[in-house]
Amino acid sequence: MEIVKLASHEQPPMDLLLLADPSPRLVEEYIERGQCYVAQAGKFILGVYVLLPTRPDTVEIVNIAVDERHQGQGIGKKLVNHAIETARQLGYKTIEIGTGNSSIGQLALYQKCGFRMTWIDRDFFIRHYEEPIYENGMQVIDMVRLSQDL
Ligand code: ACO
Ligand code: ACO
């Protein structure tokens, strides 16, 4: 498996990107403004992440997803670590990521990769999504914001 930057003429893997964010409108916006990286084995795309510059010296992983058949095998961790290393090489000083209050596995993964919680964007998922979203038996309401210095 290798992780590579998607060329501008290549189609982003929308099915995977929508696993991480149910809003096609937000996903389109992220891939328009950000840079997409894919984990691939031959022609098969196993995972994806999108890096988006947000403020001076700061970049955010706005979307990360692994094909459902290949989750839990360490690919997500490789993608997060690749994003951190890429951001560092590009000269950014801070990398950020945000996830839902209910996303227990994601919160574990990001902290295992060195992210620390910074603040809570309360009601984010109420403000930005028309339909209620449920995960792990909880409604997704608040966004937990995490960051790490590079
Ligand atoms: N408690 C403790 N640790 C946990 C838990 C838990 N409940 N759940 C997961 N983990 C840990 C695992 O143990 C593992 O760490 P380890 O290697 O130290 O054991 C790590 O978290 C998960 O590692 P991977 O196997 O690399 O993860 P995976 O390949 O499954 O990718 C991902 C994770 C991307 C979240 C995947 O499950 C996915 O695509 N989910 C659907 C889309 C999604 O939710 N994306 C994130 C949305 S937020 C955003 O995009 C910014
Ligand atoms: N993902 C999703 N849901 C989870 C997860 C998970 N990883 N882990 C637990 N839950 C849910 C369970 O599914 C269950 O909800 P459900 O009924 O909707 O399925 C709920 O959390 C746990 O319910 P209980 O079985 O009632 O919990 P338990 O009797 O085990 O008590 C407690 C929980 C008090 C935390 C116990 O495990 C304990 O004593 N732990 C050690 C001491 C401790 O950590 N105390 C808290 C410290 S913080 C403080 O004291 C303020």
Side-chain angles (χ1 to χ4, degrees):
M1 187 192 84
E2 53 171 1
I3 300 174
V4 294
K5 188 168 159 178
L6 201 70
S8 53
H9 66 274
E10 290 176 301
Q11 279 297 332
M14 280 306 285
D15 48 343
L16 280 185
L17 292 160
L18 287 168
L19 279 182
D21 192 321
S23 164
R25 182 182 59 80
L26 286 181
V27 171
E28 292 282 356
E29 195 185 308
Y30 293 152
I31 53 183
E32 176 83 23
R33 292 168 47 216
Q35 182 59 57
C36 207
Y37 292 81
V38 293
Q40 59 188 26
K43 284 195 165 171
F44 190 71
I45 295 185
L46 301 167
V48 63
Y49 73 84
V50 179
L51 264 189
L52 180 76
T54 51
R55 294 189 301 281
D57 296 333
T58 303
V59 74
E60 179 169 345
I61 303 173
V62 284
N63 190 306
I64 179 161
V66 170
D67 181 281
E68 278 164 314
R69 289 160 293 184
H70 295 87
Q71 289 178 4
Q73 298 169 14
I75 298 171
K77 211 176 202 179
K78 287 200 175 94
L79 286 168
V80 174
N81 285 327
H82 188 274
I84 294 165
E85 196 43 44
T86 302
R88 191 176 285 131
Q89 281 174 13
L90 290 171
Y92 289 100
K93 300 279 185 286
T94 306
I95 185 164
E96 298 183 330
I97 196 162
T99 195
N101 54 280
S102 53
S103 302
I104 295 165
Q106 290 82 339
L107 287 167
L109 168 62
Y110 305 153
Q111 290 177 90
K112 284 178 173 183
C113 292
F115 283 90
R116 291 188 54 196
M117 296 185 190
T118 46
W119 62 289
I120 308 289
D121 194 345
R122 283 175 70 93
D123 294 321
F124 177 91
F125 292 95
I126 306 289
R127 277 185 273 116
H128 292 278
Y129 295 82
E130 283 171 16
E131 301 289 328
I133 313 165
Y134 293 88
E135 182 186 33
N136 292 320
M138 286 170 273
Q139 188 173 356
V140 195
I141 299 171
D142 304 315
M143 182 184 275
V144 181
R145 303 286 313 166
L146 303 100
S147 80
Q148 72 173 286
D149 295 335
L150 296 169

